[in-house]
Amino acid sequence: HGIQTWVALPMPYEESEPAFVHHPASTLPKITRGGAVITLIAGQGWAETSPVRFPHPILYAAIEAEGPAAIELPSETEERAIYLIEGTASLNGRAIDPLTMVVLTPDTPAVLTVDAGTRAMVCGGAPLDAPRFMDWNFVSSSKARIEQAKADWRASAMNGWIGTPFALPPGEDEHIPLPGDPD
């Protein structure tokens, strides 16, 4: 399985240069609750801190259950959600459908109960400093900035990705058009 996640940045960091930092799985905190293991990918939770740095309070964790477990979700994270990938789970006694994200009410205690074979993601953090807009893979606090990014994407594709705002990683040559653009 793989889950691709995009996280909006606080306004002072929106135009930061892209970066990639690898953290081997062995460096990520593992928290055991009953028959479940929680891997804290980013942020803080369950009295642990991930080595993955982010410029804003965040919580991002994977849950894998080999047996039943009751997991109290960190209450210090103001905005929280659960995404059930597969298996059987309930939140405060209410069943969650697989492939569903449940957004929790802030400042409300939450207990996630899972059965063996359950996989889920916990995500959240502090509220952002302004509303965000999203169009395809572009997220910004400015609609005009999103339109500029779309124009840059199109120009990069037309110019073969050389000397343009968007460059393909070494060894890549696949162009993915914007939704609605011709191939």
Side-chain angles (χ1 to χ4, degrees), residues 19-31:
F20 176 82
V21 178
H22 177 70
H23 293 276
S26 63
T27 67
L28 302 176
K30 305 271 191 220
I31 302 113

Side-chain angles (χ1 to χ4, degrees), residues 34-84:
V37 174
I38 304 162
T39 302
L40 185 59
I41 299 167
Q44 295 180 316
W46 300 279
E48 296 283 347
T49 300
S50 168
V52 176
R53 297 288 164 238
F54 193 74
H56 193 72
I58 190 171
L59 169 65
Y60 192 55
I63 298 173
E64 294 186 50
E66 292 185 10
I71 303 163
E72 188 171 337
L73 301 179
S75 58
E76 64 274 9
T77 303
E78 188 172 342
E79 295 183 349
R80 302 166 294 166
I82 299 289
Y83 180 71
L84 180 59

